[in-house]
Amino acid sequence: MKIGDIDLKRSWPALAGIGAIIAVLAAAFAWTSGLLGQRVTNMTFLEDTQHDFPAGYRRAHGKGMCFEGVFRSSGEAAKYSHASVFAQPETRAIGRFSIGSMSPYAADNSTSTVSMAMMLTADNGQQWRMKMNNEPYFPTRDAPGFLEMMKATAPDPSTGNPNPQQLAAFLAEYPEARKYMEADAVKPWASSFAGATYYAIHAYYLLAEDGRRQAMRWWLRPHAAFTAWSDEERAGASHDALFKEVGQRLTKAPLQWDIVMQLAAPGDPVDDPSQPWPETRQQVVAGTLEVQRVFDQTDGVCRDVNFDPTLIPAGMALSNDPVLATRAGIYAHSYNSRLHEIGYGKATDAVGKKTAQ
Amino acid sequence: MTTETRTVTKTSQANEAGQPERFNLLARLLHWTMAAAIIAMLFIGVAMMTSLTWRPELLDLHQPLGIAILLLAIVRLVNRLRHGAPALPADIPRWQVISAKASHWVLYALMFSLPLLGWGVRSAGGWPVTMLPGVTLPPIAPTHPVWYAVLRDAHGLLAWLLFAVVLMHLCAALMHAWVRRDGVFSTMTPGGLYHRYRRNRK
Ligand code: HEM
Ligand code: HEM
Ligand code: HEM
């Protein structure tokens, strides 16, 4: 049989081979892009969490306020890293305070997680971006563990409490999460952004000019004293209490945080965000952040930024912490979705336009 | 080199119309290295949007490799415009000749536009376009959400278009090699293969 000038009798093995090659390539591409298969990808990670708020907002930590300030280096970290931010005296900082709830309309007493995101841009143009929470470590060793924890701790609709069997099964698979859950249960509720400590959580490497690599974790240690809400104070706190409070403080004086770097000793787990290092490890103060002014998060200067914790300057390197890598992918999708909405004019509140009444 | 050898080379490589019989060495080298690089880039691109583990490394690879493709595409286009392409066999239907030529120019267009759009995406998002740690390219688009949204969509859509055209191109190339066996495939293969194949045909 012939089709055009192709003799099927002679050519069918070749045609089948070509078809198979094309099919395999197409299937491999579809799988890699997440179209084929059921695995969790960066795209589907947050799929189940509903977002019932308007277009243009961050898919988590939606409520926030931007800040502007300056980072003054102490010169101490320059011994370990050749990144310019550690050598030059002053670096411009922009950042964002936020709370851990998803919705931009959440009340400030709806979560005990307060956060700071920041970007430092050195004179040579090199950027250092970070997203930090007021928790010293991550609950689980990897990101899928975080999804498991969400499922295991979600209230069972019939009892209103988490299902004990599910919880036990989760803790058997992720025993490290127990210490996080215990600490979380008694975690004090910060009553001010100013007195909170913000942890980067993941380890990074400092790279010296001479090739030395030093594993390190940093956090931002406040100059202001930590203050907590009592249960009654929290229950009575106003809807925007935290954001109002930080704005008021800044009308009086700037706020400061030291960037504290904890240096790993040989053998410390570098790639596991659920394992903090002993408190006795050597610490280096890289410098001090001064937050000078807050402004509305509808301003593009920080609205349109993804404070991606994997964007670091030359002179630093990422660890192989799997949660760090996953966060980069999840943030990329959240950022793409919201910039898409803003770019195509679908966002109203998020860009400071009021919705039609 | 003597005049004589030059004449010999010339007649063995070109037909009467002055078209080469096969792609020159540079064209062949570039074609196969770039084919590997571009197919790798397509997979790297989609993998960095899904992989829970490899996003940072893939993005570090995606940017310099994409810019390398852009630079090689310039060399390739110049070489192609100066030295031309072999004529297709006379018995190939007209629609196939037209689609072969058109698809080659579409492939060229995408080899240029994808890296430029990718560079634009990074620029419009206010990101550094990092080649190596500490080595960045200047932005080529204003940092603005409208630019970001449009360029990001264009980069993603055209990448999928490129994948589709590459599949068609591969399909056509293999049809020439295994079904029609008309010597078109070997215009792009190393000399040894070309000569052996020619001998078999005669
Ligand atoms: C795997 C678990 C996590 C998920 C699924 C997740 C998800 C998200 C998402 C979708 C956003 C919005 C990002 C944007 O649009 O720019 C966000 C913001 C944020 N996340 Fe995470 N995150 C995770 C872990 C963490 C960890 C471990 C930290 C702290 C060390 C953190 C700190 C922050 C901060 C500070 C913001 C606000 C960023 C800003 O103000 O721009 N997240 N998170
Ligand atoms: C031949 C060259 C290139 C090819 C085939 C290619 C292919 C791709 C593909 C398939 C994607 C994923 C699209 C999606 O899932 O929506 C992608 C995304 C991307 N590419 Fe490229 N690309 C190329 C060059 C470049 C260059 C030179 C740059 C930058 C310098 C670049 C930057 C990006 C960025 C920033 C993204 C999106 C990442 C994100 O959304 O987080 N690409 N590319
Ligand atoms: C891996 C599979 C591939 C195979 C087997 C293949 C095979 C071939 C063959 C046999 C030719 C010469 C035939 C003719 O002139 O019609 C050719 C030409 C060409 N191919 Fe491919 N190719 C592949 C991948 C690619 C890719 C990924 C690209 C670019 C995106 C590409 C771009 C071109 C172009 C532009 C030409 C025209 C010649 C030139 O100007 O270089 N090919 N290919």
Side-chain angles (χ1 to χ4, degrees):
Chain A
M1 200 188 129
K2 278 184 165 231
I3 297 179
D5 54 357
I6 298 169
D7 180 354
L8 279 188
K9 209 166 164 193
R10 191 182 70 129
S11 295
W12 72 264
L15 290 171
I18 295 171
I21 291 175
I22 302 293
V24 166
L25 265 175
F29 197 66
W31 183 85
T32 313
S33 68
L35 283 184
L36 211 65
Q38 298 296 312
R39 73 194 197 286
V40 175
T41 68
N42 293 332
M43 238 172 280
T44 59
F45 200 94
L46 281 179
E47 205 167 55
D48 296 338
T49 53
Q50 53 180 49
H51 43 88
D52 47 358
F53 43 85
Y57 284 108
R58 284 165 168 79
R59 282 356 186 205
H61 296 252
K63 187 173 182 185
M65 187 175 251
C66 300
F67 69 75
E68 193 175 58
V70 60
F71 170 68
R72 297 194 180 89
S73 70
S74 66
E76 284 297 303
K79 280 180 240 157
Y80 299 94
S81 164
H82 61 85
S84 306
V85 273
F86 300 130
Q88 72 183 55
E90 294 201 339
T91 303
R92 195 177 102 84
I94 66 141
R96 184 169 173 271
F97 293 113
S98 63
I99 56 172
S101 305
M102 298 248 162
S103 166
Y105 302 131
D108 289 1
N109 57 3
S110 61
T111 167
S112 64
T113 303
V114 294
S115 317
M116 178 196 278
M118 178 164 60
M119 173 161 91
L120 298 175
T121 309
D123 294 344
N124 62 5
Q126 298 260 320
Q127 299 175 356
W128 179 12
R129 303 188 183 189
M130 43 194 119
K131 277 186 169 85
M132 300 164 293
N133 282 344
N134 62 338
E135 279 160 7
Y137 49 87
F138 197 67
T140 54
R141 61 186 181 272
D142 58 22
F146 178 76
L147 285 186
E148 296 294 315
M149 185 175 84
M150 297 315 238
K151 270 188 232 137
T153 54
D156 189 320
S158 55
T159 62
N161 282 319
N163 177 325
Q165 272 130 350
Q166 269 184 1
L167 202 56
F170 163 71
L171 285 172
E173 213 190 326
Y174 289 98
E176 70 272 22
R178 188 178 293 277
K179 73 175 177 316
Y180 175 91
M181 290 164 73
E182 282 165 6
D184 195 51
V186 296
K187 182 181 169 190
W189 288 63
S191 62
S192 170
F193 282 110
T197 306
Y198 302 101
Y199 297 86
I201 286 183
H202 314 284
Y204 294 73
Y205 290 97
L206 294 172
L207 308 181
E209 207 73 75
D210 61 11
R212 271 179 307 133
R213 286 162 71 85
Q214 171 64 56
M216 165 283 287
R217 280 188 171 129
W218 81 80
W219 55 81
L220 265 68
R221 185 175 64 198
H223 287 195
F226 175 76
T227 53
W229 274 328
S230 67
D231 287 350
E232 302 79 64
E233 282 167 338
R234 172 163 65 90
S238 73
H239 191 264
D240 304 318
L242 292 176
F243 290 100
K244 284 208 182 104
E245 199 264 357
V246 73
Q248 271 155 14
R249 279 195 192 232
L250 283 166
T251 56
K252 292 180 209 124
L255 291 167
Q256 271 117 7
W257 282 264
D258 292 334
I259 298 192
V260 179
M261 293 184 167
Q262 183 190 35
L263 308 185
D268 284 346
V270 170
D271 300 334
D272 188 341
S274 67
Q275 302 298 331
W277 301 328
E279 277 170 19
T280 50
R281 292 287 176 265
Q282 187 192 341
Q283 295 182 3
V284 169
V285 176
T288 303
L289 168 73
E290 181 173 289
V291 172
Q292 296 162 330
R293 182 177 82 88
V294 280
F295 54 97
D296 207 86
Q297 68 159 336
T298 52
D299 189 316
V301 170
C302 93
R303 180 195 64 207
D304 301 336
V305 176
N306 169 357
F307 294 96
D308 180 348
T310 57
L311 196 91
I312 48 176
M316 285 174 68
L318 305 178
S319 62
N320 288 323
D321 184 331
V323 178
L324 180 56
T326 306
R327 286 176 70 199
I330 292 166
Y331 293 150
H333 285 289
S334 172
Y335 165 79
N336 280 349
S337 318
R338 59 193 174 84
L339 260 76
H340 194 275
E341 291 159 358
I342 293 171
Y344 289 117
K346 289 184 202 138
T348 48
D349 300 33
V351 297
K353 277 190 249 163
K354 282 282 156 254
T355 22
Q357 295 299 308
Chain B
M1 204 199 274
T2 67
T3 330
E4 210 184 71
T5 47
R6 200 179 290 152
T7 333
V8 170
T9 334
K10 210 170 184 172
T11 44
S12 78
Q13 295 228 318
N15 63 16
E16 302 87 60
Q19 278 168 312
E21 227 168 66
R22 44 205 295 259
F23 288 98
N24 66 13
L25 179 64
L26 181 61
R28 280 177 278 136
L29 273 177
L30 285 174
H31 176 269
W32 293 112
T33 32
M34 290 179 73
I38 287 170
I39 292 172
M41 277 297 281
L42 287 164
F43 278 89
I44 293 170
V46 290
M48 73 191 188
M49 301 310 296
T50 54
S51 168
L52 294 185
T53 353
W54 299 112
R55 158 115 187 162
E57 286 83 359
L58 292 174
L59 187 59
D60 283 351
L61 201 60
H62 193 79
Q63 300 183 74
L65 191 54
I67 297 297
I69 289 170
L70 177 63
L71 297 178
L72 292 179
I74 298 172
V75 178
R76 182 167 172 184
L77 182 66
V78 170
N79 181 58
R80 170 70 195 261
L81 292 176
R82 286 186 54 187
H83 297 287
L88 289 166
D91 61 339
I92 289 191
R94 220 175 102 78
W95 70 268
Q96 281 186 25
V97 177
I98 294 174
S99 52
K101 288 200 173 140
S103 67
H104 289 171
W105 292 116
V106 169
L107 287 170
Y108 269 104
L110 292 171
M111 281 187 261
F112 281 96
S113 54
L114 270 172
L116 286 171
L117 285 168
W119 187 350
V121 173
R122 290 295 277 180
S123 310
W127 301 87
V129 189
T130 308
M131 298 292 101
L132 290 167
V135 184
T136 52
L137 299 181
I140 56 166
T143 304
H144 195 276
V146 173
W147 281 86
Y148 183 84
V150 172
L151 292 174
R152 178 65 184 82
D153 275 1
H155 189 68
L157 285 172
L158 290 189
W160 281 80
L161 175 68
L162 173 62
F163 185 70
V165 180
V166 166
L167 281 193
M168 273 157 35
H169 175 75
L170 173 63
C171 192
L174 294 178
M175 288 294 283
H176 285 294
W178 295 341
V179 177
R180 294 184 53 102
R181 308 193 202 182
D182 53 9
V184 169
F185 189 82
S186 25
T187 58
M188 200 44 109
T189 54
L193 265 179
Y194 174 73
H195 291 298
R196 197 166 69 213
Y197 188 69
R198 283 272 126 153
R199 264 205 312 279
N200 289 347
R201 290 268 297 165
K202 300 245 157 94

